Amino acid sequence: SSNMEDDVSLKFHQQLLLISENLVTEDVAALKFLCTDLLHIRKLEGVKSALDIFKLLMAQEYLNAEDTFLLAELLYRIKYHSLLEKLGYTKEKVQEHLLEKGRVSPYRQMLYELSENITNEMLKEIIFLLQKHLPKRWITLSALDLLILLEKQGLLTKDNVQILEDICVIVSPDLLEIIKHYKKTKGRDCSGWSFLFQPKVGFKYMVLEVLALLSFKNAQWEVILSLSEKTGSVVGECTLRFLFCLRPFPVDQYELPAPAFFFSFPQNMTSYKMDGAHRGFCLIINNVNFNSSQRKGSCKDAEQLERVFTWLGLDVRTYTDLTSGDIRSLMQTWQHLQDHKDRNCFICCILSHGESGAIYGTDEKVVLIRTLMSHFTAKQCPQLAAKPKLFFIQACQGNRIQCPVYVDTDAQTPDLSSMEESFSLFESIPEEADFLLSMATVDGYVSFRHIEEGSWYIQALCSKLQLLVPRGEDILSILTQVNEDVAKRVSPSGTKKQMPQPAYTLRRKFIFPIPTAPPPS
């Protein structure tokens, strides 16, 4: 029994270590903030890593091997859904138990949501407006730092958010809606049942949804009632839920304890910050000439990608005909580039032959896609930590379809001795957050390239970027339209089709700022 407990404890600590290794400085700051109401502020000030927070939570018995829900909730709140599976949770499972087990207060949720929606430009304006409240030598590092300072000075509390309202009226009405939603829900009278009879929130304005979960437990009938007020406001629907027990006694002996209220703040998907002076670097690797073949039409793709990403504000660098060794070396060079720290994102486009989970160098040797992407994890490239890394790959992921007369494919006859196993798309993408991998085709199939007009996938990608970025669409919405475009195409024979496939661990929406210049084509 003792050995079994030791094994459980070891596994639990290994889980915490693995999660900690995937959390960067920005994530640790967010976790500290969300734990402010749970842990002593002085102890939190000494936190340097996620492991430090985990130790504090364990010391206060908020976290142990048998109950990891609080950590799951924290990861959910910072939108790091890909790590939930390490604890045996999914996003949906956490949502299901938040009402019952959630510990992060509505006030703390609201402040965190605000910080996530405050851009660098907004932050500068807010600091200017609040300068009389700020220490003269104080240097603002983030929106969270500013909120913490206001709390320390007593200017901001769960019962008084007036200073935030005054600022948001000037800086951003959208931010004001977040505060209004918090106040509207918090404003319900939670002392007993009197709120039911107030004119503004009486039964006249309410839809009563009764979800009866009847279970005989300790001689008590448990009933959950959900009261939903249809407010009709832009904030949407506020839901108040309460639990009470109906005991099997005569009616006049029913006991109705004071209801316990829960608040579920809507998880609005925020966007990655893309308002820096420098957007980021875009690498284009264009492999045309192989030992036994030539990828005709690929230069058309490379030229179009260069035009479009330059238009989008990226600093584009194109490399042609790289061997497998050259590709690995190039990734290592860009991995260590210090200039990433001043950029908002990183993009890499690879045009080559490929096989399942890999692309080919011009020497016809494979390079695993996972290996390429692993150079840019937070641990390997801290300058890009918490920033979006996008990889677009035009290459086959198999060779099941033979090329027709007028259409070429990006399949290369593989050297089976160099590939003992296949790698699926989801095995290729790193487990940590902020990556997107968009492949021209699903695993096991070829992708098509016109020998004069370029590949179906890259031409559709460039076309949709030019069409939809000016409309403010995010990258996943754009890739969905790319899928639709490519899926409609057929080869000259009328029988060959293709379907692109994205995989991602993005935590926010990725939206390119709308260029001032017209699209290049």
Side-chain angles (χ1 to χ4, degrees):
S1 176
S2 177
N3 290 337
M4 186 177 297
E5 289 179 1
D6 289 341
D7 290 342
V8 171
S9 177
L10 178 61
K11 182 179 179 181
F12 172 59
H13 284 83
Q14 286 175 335
Q15 288 174 324
L16 297 185
L17 181 61
L18 179 61
I19 291 171
S20 177
E21 289 176 345
N22 281 278
L23 297 174
V24 297
T25 304
E26 187 182 64
D27 300 323
V28 175
L31 293 180
K32 284 173 61 176
F33 185 80
L34 291 172
C35 288
T36 301
D37 301 326
L38 305 174
L39 300 171
H40 198 284
I41 188 67
R42 288 188 179 179
K43 291 184 177 180
L44 279 174
E45 286 176 350
V47 164
K48 302 297 181 185
S49 69
L51 280 180
D52 292 337
I53 298 177
F54 300 161
K55 290 175 184 176
L56 292 175
L57 292 174
M58 287 189 286
Q60 295 297 316
E61 298 184 352
Y62 285 122
L63 179 64
N64 55 60
E66 289 74 37
D67 184 4
T68 60
F69 184 80
L70 176 57
L71 179 53
E73 180 189 1
L74 292 171
L75 293 174
Y76 170 81
R77 297 292 181 201
I78 67 173
K79 303 177 181 68
Y80 214 144
H81 302 143
S82 61
L83 284 180
L84 290 176
E85 63 182 37
K86 306 297 181 188
L87 299 171
Y89 282 95
T90 62
K91 175 183 173 182
E92 292 71 27
K93 190 175 180 181
V94 173
Q95 289 172 331
E96 181 183 339
H97 292 91
L98 273 178
L99 284 176
E100 176 189 357
K101 295 184 175 181
R103 287 185 177 273
V104 180
S105 70
Y107 168 68
R108 197 61 48 189
Q109 293 176 48
M110 180 271 292
L111 293 184
Y112 181 68
E113 287 295 325
L114 273 181
S115 73
E116 288 289 277
N117 284 278
I118 294 175
T119 66
N120 290 336
E121 288 304 314
M122 288 181 192
L123 186 58
K124 291 176 184 177
E125 294 177 18
I126 293 171
I127 293 171
F128 177 78
L129 294 169
L130 291 175
Q131 53 185 324
K132 72 175 183 178
H133 298 292
L134 305 178
K136 292 181 179 179
R137 295 185 179 181
W138 186 68
I139 302 174
T140 308
L141 298 178
S142 69
L144 284 181
D145 293 326
L146 178 61
L147 294 172
I148 291 170
L149 178 67
L150 293 176
E151 285 190 287
K152 285 182 177 179
Q153 293 181 335
L155 298 171
L156 180 61
T157 68
K158 65 182 178 67
D159 297 316
N160 181 14
V161 293
Q162 188 62 48
I163 192 169
L164 290 182
E165 291 181 277
D166 294 341
I167 291 298
C168 290
V169 166
I170 300 170
V171 174
S172 172
D174 290 337
L175 295 180
L176 188 61
E177 292 301 331
I178 296 175
I179 302 172
K180 284 182 178 178
H181 178 70
Y182 163 70
K183 289 185 67 178
K184 183 178 285 288
T185 308
K186 179 182 175 299
R188 304 295 179 240
D189 182 3
C190 297
S191 57
W193 306 89
S194 59
F195 76 94
L196 289 177
F197 306 102
Q198 296 174 7
K200 291 184 180 179
V201 291
F203 283 109
K204 177 180 178 181
Y205 297 90
M206 306 183 97
V207 175
L208 180 63
E209 301 168 342
V210 181
L211 305 175
L213 304 179
L214 300 176
S215 62
F216 194 75
K217 184 181 1 177
N218 299 327
Q220 296 183 14
W221 292 97
E222 293 187 1
V223 180
I224 293 179
L225 295 183
S226 174
L227 290 176
S228 299
E229 179 196 3
K230 306 295 184 179
T231 64
S233 68
V234 292
V235 176
E237 177 181 316
C238 300
T239 302
L240 298 172
R241 292 185 174 87
F242 56 90
L243 170 70
F244 65 89
C245 299
L246 295 181
R247 303 190 180 187
F249 299 133
V251 175
D252 60 352
Q253 295 184 28
Y254 277 0
E255 296 182 16
L256 295 178
F261 286 86
F262 303 93
F263 174 77
S264 182
F265 196 88
Q267 280 218 321
N268 297 320
M269 179 67 75
T270 55
S271 301
Y272 285 102
K273 294 180 179 179
M274 293 287 288
D275 54 356
H278 303 286
R279 197 80 66 236
F281 292 102
C282 173
L283 309 188
I284 299 174
I285 298 175
N286 181 28
N287 282 350
V288 179
N289 300 296
F290 289 74
N291 293 336
S292 57
S293 65
Q294 187 179 49
R295 296 183 60 254
K296 295 179 180 179
S298 187
C299 288
K300 174 88 171 184
D301 286 343
E303 291 168 4
Q304 187 73 343
L305 285 171
E306 186 170 346
R307 284 196 297 270
V308 170
F309 282 114
T310 299
W311 170 67
L312 292 172
L314 279 295
D315 187 351
V316 180
R317 309 293 173 85
T318 302
Y319 302 87
T320 305
D321 290 344
L322 300 186
T323 65
S324 57
D326 292 336
I327 294 173
R328 293 189 184 93
S329 177
L330 182 67
M331 294 298 106
Q332 289 173 357
T333 298
W334 281 93
Q335 168 190 338
H336 299 293
L337 188 73
Q338 292 300 311
D339 288 349
H340 286 311
K341 69 178 183 295
D342 299 321
R343 266 69 179 180
N344 297 135
C345 67
F346 174 75
I347 295 176
C348 181
C349 305
I350 300 177
L351 317 173
S352 188
H353 286 309
E355 252 297 327
S356 182
I359 54 100
Y360 282 88
T362 53
D363 55 355
E364 299 182 3
K365 294 181 179 178
V366 299
V367 181
L368 296 180
I369 295 170
R370 186 179 184 85
T371 300
L372 295 177
M373 298 179 73
S374 66
H375 287 286
F376 302 97
T377 60
K379 194 171 184 179
Q380 298 299 323
C381 185
Q383 295 83 5
L384 285 173
K387 298 177 183 178
K389 281 85 59 177
L390 280 57
F391 288 75
F392 300 96
I393 297 183
Q394 167 57 42
C396 288
Q397 288 296 283
N399 58 350
R400 297 183 190 174
I401 300 176
Q402 301 298 317
C403 58
V405 176
Y406 300 107
V407 179
D408 202 359
T409 72
D410 274 327
Q412 177 81 337
T413 303
D415 178 4
L416 295 179
S417 63
S418 67
M419 289 193 69
E420 297 180 356
E421 57 178 320
S422 296
F423 292 82
S424 75
L425 180 64
F426 294 97
E427 289 173 324
S428 297
I429 192 167
E431 290 180 351
E432 74 165 56
D434 310 309
F435 276 92
L436 178 140
L437 171 61
S438 181
M439 301 292 298
T441 186
V442 294
D443 187 52
Y445 287 84
V446 299
S447 59
F448 294 102
R449 171 176 33 83
H450 194 282
I451 60 176
E452 293 179 355
E453 297 176 2
S455 65
W456 292 1
Y457 169 66
I458 295 298
Q459 294 305 309
L461 174 64
C462 292
S463 173
K464 293 304 180 183
L465 284 171
Q466 293 177 85
L467 176 66
L468 300 176
V469 166
R471 299 181 185 177
E473 296 279 359
D474 69 284
I475 192 63
L476 295 181
S477 299
I478 293 173
L479 290 177
T480 300
Q481 300 238 13
V482 171
N483 279 10
E484 182 182 23
D485 186 303
V486 174
K488 289 178 179 177
R489 304 191 184 202
V490 293
S491 64
S493 64
T495 59
K496 312 296 193 297
K497 296 187 68 93
Q498 177 183 329
M499 175 57 73
Q501 183 182 19
Y504 60 92
T505 57
L506 298 178
R507 289 182 286 170
R508 305 175 187 176
K509 286 186 178 182
F510 181 91
I511 301 175
F512 285 106
I514 299 174
T516 55
S521 62

